[in-house]
Amino acid sequence: MLLLALVAAVVGALAAWQVGRMRRRDDRRLLLMTAGVVVAFIGLGVVAWQSHAGRVAHVALVVGYVLTYLLIPTRAPTDR
């Protein structure tokens, strides 16, 4: 169960990193990507809530996403 939670947290972090990268580049697909992530979180949550291991993994996925998204910069670094 711990390995599943760790993998879920890493997947959440990678999704947040991708969304953050798209946001910094002002990518037009950002809205589509964000909507896809939200739908995936909801869908996985409904399926995962049937077991204890699934609940732990889903919470790890969401926490990994949120923490990574909060920690990555939202603007591209300015040239000096």
Side-chain angles (χ1 to χ4, degrees):
M1 181 169 65
L2 182 62
L3 181 60
L4 181 62
L6 181 63
V7 168
V10 169
V11 168
L14 289 173
W17 177 78
Q18 178 67 22
V19 168
R21 187 172 70 97
M22 292 173 81
R23 184 176 178 194
R24 282 190 305 274
R25 291 182 176 180
D26 290 330
D27 195 334
R28 293 175 190 244
R29 297 173 295 168
L30 176 63
L31 182 62
L32 182 62
M33 176 72 171
T34 304
V37 167
V38 169
V39 168
F41 280 171
I42 292 170
L44 288 173
V46 169
V47 172
W49 225 252
Q50 304 302 320
S51 70
H52 178 67
R55 283 189 292 258
V56 171
H58 186 263
V59 169
L61 176 74
V62 173
V63 168
Y65 180 89
V66 170
L67 287 179
T68 303
Y69 191 78
L70 291 175
L71 293 175
I72 58 175
T74 57
R75 301 267 184 216
T78 58
D79 294 333
R80 295 178 190 197

